[in-house]
Amino acid sequence: MFGHDLELLAPVGKMNRLQAVVDAGADAVYLGGKRFNMRALRADFNFSDDEIKQAADILHQKNKKLYITVNNLYNNDEISELGDYLFFLQDTGVDALIVQDTGVAELCSRLKIKIPLHASVQMGIANLEAVKILEENGFERVILSKNLSLEEITAIAAGTDLGIEYFVHGDLCISHTGQCYMSSFTASQSGNRGRCQKPCRWPYQLLENNEEKYNEYQYLLAHKDLCLYSHLPELINAGVSSFKIEGRMHSPEYLSFMVSTYRQALDRF
C-alpha cells in the first residue's frame, strides 16, 4: 500500500512504550539516551546504553528504524565524551541522529561517523536556503519548523531532495520552535540545554496597570495540542514523507492509541 511509503514516527521514553508503538504500527521510533538529549530533567524517560542496544535489536528484527536524539547544544568540554557516544551509536547500528547543534555534524565528519543526520525541529528550519545549507553539510532529512504554513512546506519540499519530516500531533510550545529563554529567566534552567521547566504550562494571573484584570489564575500561555489528523492529505501532497508524533513521556496506552489512529489514516493513502 502507498501508505507504507509514508513513515509514521513514534516517541518512546521507556522500554514498555517500545513494544506498544511497534504493535500499533509505527515505522520508526525516536528516543534519547541518558546523555546529550533534550529530556535532561527526566532521566527516567531516557534510555541507558544497554537499553538502546536492546531497542535497536527489537526494531531491526521487525524491519523498523531507530533514531536517537542528540539534539542539545554542546559546550567545548563535552565534545570528547560526545565523540565516544557517537561511536557507540554507530556500533549499535542506529538508523539516524536527530541533531540541533551543527557542531555535531562537523564532529561526525571529522570522526568519519556514517550515521545519517536529521536536522532537529530545534534548528528552526523555515526556508529553502537553510535546507540547502543542510544539504551541503551532509544531512539526509529536515524536521521543519512547526511554524510554517502549508504553502511554505510545499515550496521547501519542491526545492530539495532531503526527506521532509513534520510534527503532526502533540504539545506546542509558545516560543518559536522551542527556542525559548523563559525557563532560564523564571527558574535558571535552560530549555535549550534540555532542562525546560515548561513555564508556558503554568497558570498566570493577568494584570492591567498592576491591578488584577481577572481573579482566577489561567493557562494564558498554554497552546492547545497540535492535531493534524484531518490534514494528512494536504501534508502528503505538500511533500511530507515522515509524520512525527510528540510525547516521549506519555503512557503506553496513549501512544498506542495515537500511533494506531495515524497508522490507519496513512494506510488509507
Side-chain angles (χ1 to χ4, degrees), residues 17-86:
R17 274 76 167 168
L18 184 68
Q19 195 61 52
V21 300
V22 167
D23 290 345
D27 298 304
V29 162
Y30 68 99
L31 57 88
K34 297 291 186 183
R35 301 166 285 169
F36 305 116
N37 92 94
M38 291 289 282
R39 289 291 182 273
L41 280 177
R42 292 298 305 271
D44 53 325
F45 282 91
N46 295 325
F47 279 49
S48 68
D49 288 358
D50 285 342
E51 288 174 328
I52 291 175
K53 290 179 180 178
Q54 292 176 41
D57 288 342
I58 291 169
L59 290 166
H60 291 159
Q61 286 172 14
K62 296 179 179 293
N63 294 317
K64 314 283 187 180
K65 292 184 177 180
L66 174 60
Y67 306 148
I68 302 294
T69 57
V70 189
N71 58 342
N72 223 324
L73 298 174
Y74 304 109
N75 299 321
N76 281 342
D77 58 4
E78 295 173 301
I79 294 300
S80 176
E81 186 182 355
L82 177 58
D84 293 339
Y85 184 57
L86 294 175

Side-chain angles (χ1 to χ4, degrees), residues 1 13 15 71 124 145 177 198 215 242 249 268:
M1 295 176 67
M15 284 299 295
N71 58 342
S145 168
T177 320
K198 295 188 178 295
N215 291 328
S242 179
M249 291 165 55
R268 287 197 289 269

Side-chain angles (χ1 to χ4, degrees), residues 203-207 212-218 220:
Y204 292 92
Q205 195 172 44
L206 185 62
L207 303 180
E212 294 180 9
K213 191 171 180 66
Y214 302 109
N215 291 328
E216 307 88 11
Y217 279 78
Q218 300 181 42
L220 299 171

Side-chain angles (χ1 to χ4, degrees), residues 11-191:
V12 168
K14 293 186 176 184
M15 284 299 295
N16 65 344
R17 274 76 167 168
L18 184 68
Q19 195 61 52
V21 300
V22 167
D23 290 345
D27 298 304
V29 162
Y30 68 99
L31 57 88
K34 297 291 186 183
R35 301 166 285 169
F36 305 116
N37 92 94
M38 291 289 282
R39 289 291 182 273
L41 280 177
R42 292 298 305 271
D44 53 325
F45 282 91
N46 295 325
F47 279 49
S48 68
D49 288 358
D50 285 342
E51 288 174 328
I52 291 175
K53 290 179 180 178
Q54 292 176 41
D57 288 342
I58 291 169
L59 290 166
H60 291 159
Q61 286 172 14
K62 296 179 179 293
N63 294 317
K64 314 283 187 180
K65 292 184 177 180
L66 174 60
Y67 306 148
I68 302 294
T69 57
V70 189
N71 58 342
N72 223 324
L73 298 174
Y74 304 109
N75 299 321
N76 281 342
D77 58 4
E78 295 173 301
I79 294 300
S80 176
E81 186 182 355
L82 177 58
D84 293 339
Y85 184 57
L86 294 175
F87 279 121
F88 159 73
L89 294 176
Q90 179 166 262
D91 291 342
T92 301
V94 304
D95 297 287
L97 305 176
I98 300 173
V99 171
Q100 175 184 190
D101 193 329
T102 54
V104 177
E106 171 63 27
L107 185 60
C108 285
S109 176
R110 178 153 35 99
L111 298 177
K112 294 182 170 49
I113 300 290
K114 301 300 184 183
I115 309 173
L117 298 178
H118 296 176
S120 171
V121 72
Q122 298 290 338
M123 278 194 182
I125 300 298
N127 57 67
L128 184 57
E129 285 74 13
V131 172
K132 293 296 185 184
I133 292 173
L134 294 175
E135 290 180 356
E136 294 168 5
N137 283 275
F139 283 80
E140 295 190 8
R141 181 186 294 186
V142 56
I143 305 159
L144 292 177
S145 168
K146 297 178 184 179
N147 306 290
L148 292 177
S149 68
L150 187 65
E151 291 75 16
E152 289 169 326
I153 295 170
T154 304
I156 290 172
T160 182
D161 291 327
L162 291 191
I164 303 295
E165 183 176 310
Y166 201 72
F167 275 95
V168 292
H169 199 96
D171 282 355
L172 280 174
C173 185
I174 193 68
S175 71
H176 188 85
T177 320
Q179 298 297 331
C180 180
Y181 294 97
M182 196 170 175
S183 183
S184 297
F185 296 151
T186 59
S188 299
Q189 297 280 6
S190 174

Side-chain angles (χ1 to χ4, degrees), residues 188-246:
S188 299
Q189 297 280 6
S190 174
N192 296 320
R193 288 282 293 167
R195 307 191 68 83
C196 183
Q197 299 285 327
K198 295 188 178 295
C200 56
R201 306 288 196 272
W202 300 350
Y204 292 92
Q205 195 172 44
L206 185 62
L207 303 180
E208 188 174 281
N209 298 323
N210 291 323
E211 295 183 0
E212 294 180 9
K213 191 171 180 66
Y214 302 109
N215 291 328
E216 307 88 11
Y217 279 78
Q218 300 181 42
Y219 293 93
L220 299 171
L221 298 180
H223 281 306
K224 293 181 179 178
D225 277 4
L226 176 71
C227 179
L228 297 181
Y229 176 85
S230 61
H231 298 285
L232 292 177
E234 294 99 312
L235 291 170
I236 292 169
N237 290 330
V240 176
S241 56
S242 179
F243 299 82
K244 190 170 192 174
I245 296 173
E246 183 273 341

